[in-house]
Amino acid sequence: DTEVTQTPKHLVMGMTNKKSLKCEQHMGHRAMYWYKQKAKKPPELMFVYSYEKLSINESVPSRFSPECPNSSLLNLHLHALQPEDSALYLCASSHGKAGGRGDTQYFGPGTRLTVL
Amino acid sequence: AQKVTQAQTEISVVEKEDVTLDCVYETRDTTYYLFWYKQPPSGELVFLIRRNSFDEQNEISGRYSWNFQKSTSSFNFTITASQVVDSAVYFCALSVTSGSARQLTFGSGTQLTVLP
């Protein structure tokens, strides 16, 4: 089973709203990732959690706040977003062990976010 | 620094034609992994194949085949007898270790359109 689930599939929010994106995996993976993808562009890494600790933050604005409550769950809290933050947000997970099976990342279906 | 180049932005073929997607990579790491992902219009990134830097054996899986050549830093992907369902954006990616997790560097993607 290589399934990563994400909710919601679509989200429309105003610039003053607070919302959260959720990601879940039950593959026993210990690394989880958030990516942002704009139309016709490759995914851009935002955050990496390794063994429930934030290991990489790619200089993401503070209006994006990640949280990893446990090894299976990853949240992305959104607050005071801008219209340019509208994008597809992808979650991924991997074994998390350097060299382990090449640490293949398996992606969820994404959340299409629109900020009005 | 790592870099992945997919020079073909868009390719259009007629169903049943063979098509090759090119990927050239740059890294100073001696241990690395290469990946191909498929992204259909639905948005989910689907893992297709992984190759490590020590395994130059080419692989065939059904209609898909991959040609990895370290001498030219290339990892090309061929679809034989293409089908309309193969229409998608295909990303080549390179993975090197960053701390306890591996980071993916994506190419810019190739939009493949298979016409009936």
Side-chain angles (χ1 to χ4, degrees):
Chain A
D1 184 8
T2 56
E3 186 178 63
V4 177
T5 59
Q6 291 187 243
T7 55
K9 289 186 178 180
H10 301 273
L11 178 63
V12 179
M13 60 186 290
M15 289 189 286
T16 59
N17 292 155
K18 286 185 179 180
K19 296 287 184 182
S20 297
L21 308 184
K22 296 184 184 300
C23 174
E24 188 169 6
Q25 57 87 15
H26 294 289
M27 295 178 278
H29 289 173
R30 302 308 298 272
M32 297 187 76
Y33 310 75
W34 279 116
Y35 288 86
K36 173 183 178 180
Q37 186 179 24
K38 301 285 276 186
K40 297 187 182 298
K41 297 290 186 181
E44 297 176 11
L45 183 65
M46 300 175 71
F47 303 103
V48 180
Y49 273 83
S50 181
Y51 292 79
E52 293 104 69
K53 292 184 180 179
L54 183 64
S55 64
I56 297 174
N57 177 342
E58 292 287 358
S59 303
V60 179
S62 60
R63 57 185 184 269
F64 295 92
S65 175
E67 178 195 20
C68 189
N70 60 57
S71 59
S72 300
L73 292 173
L74 185 66
N75 299 321
L76 186 62
H77 303 297
L78 314 173
H79 174 55
L81 294 193
Q82 304 298 310
E84 58 265 28
D85 296 321
S86 298
L88 178 67
Y89 288 84
L90 292 162
C91 173
S93 71
S94 70
H95 283 274
K97 296 179 181 178
R101 299 191 183 186
D103 216 33
T104 301
Q105 292 185 27
Y106 296 93
F107 287 80
T111 294
R112 291 194 183 275
L113 173 67
T114 302
V115 182
L116 301 175
Chain B
Q2 282 61 241
K3 185 177 180 181
V4 176
T5 302
Q6 294 179 253
Q8 305 151 308
T9 304
E10 296 182 14
I11 299 176
S12 183
V13 299
V14 177
E15 202 170 23
K16 298 184 182 178
E17 287 185 357
D18 298 348
V19 58
T20 295
L21 309 183
D22 298 332
C23 173
V24 175
Y25 64 93
E26 297 176 28
T27 180
R28 293 185 177 180
D29 284 49
T30 56
T31 302
Y32 53 88
Y33 288 81
L34 294 163
F35 302 81
W36 276 97
Y37 286 88
K38 173 183 179 180
Q39 189 173 39
S42 61
E44 182 174 358
L45 272 166
V46 178
F47 164 68
L48 295 178
I49 192 170
R50 171 190 64 246
R51 264 291 172 267
N52 71 51
S53 52
F54 300 106
D55 180 7
E56 289 192 69
Q57 185 174 15
N58 295 319
E59 180 167 334
I60 298 175
S61 176
R63 296 186 297 107
Y64 297 167
S65 62
W66 291 270
N67 185 349
F68 175 31
Q69 292 191 343
K70 285 181 73 172
S71 60
T72 56
S73 296
S74 65
F75 186 42
N76 297 335
F77 171 35
T78 297
I79 303 174
T80 58
S82 60
Q83 299 177 1
V84 173
V85 293
D86 295 327
S87 297
V89 179
Y90 290 84
F91 290 100
C92 181
L94 170 68
S95 172
V96 297
T97 302
S98 176
S100 57
R102 286 183 171 267
Q103 282 192 271
L104 277 176
T105 299
F106 285 93
S108 55
T110 297
Q111 170 71 62
L112 173 65
T113 302
V114 181
L115 303 169

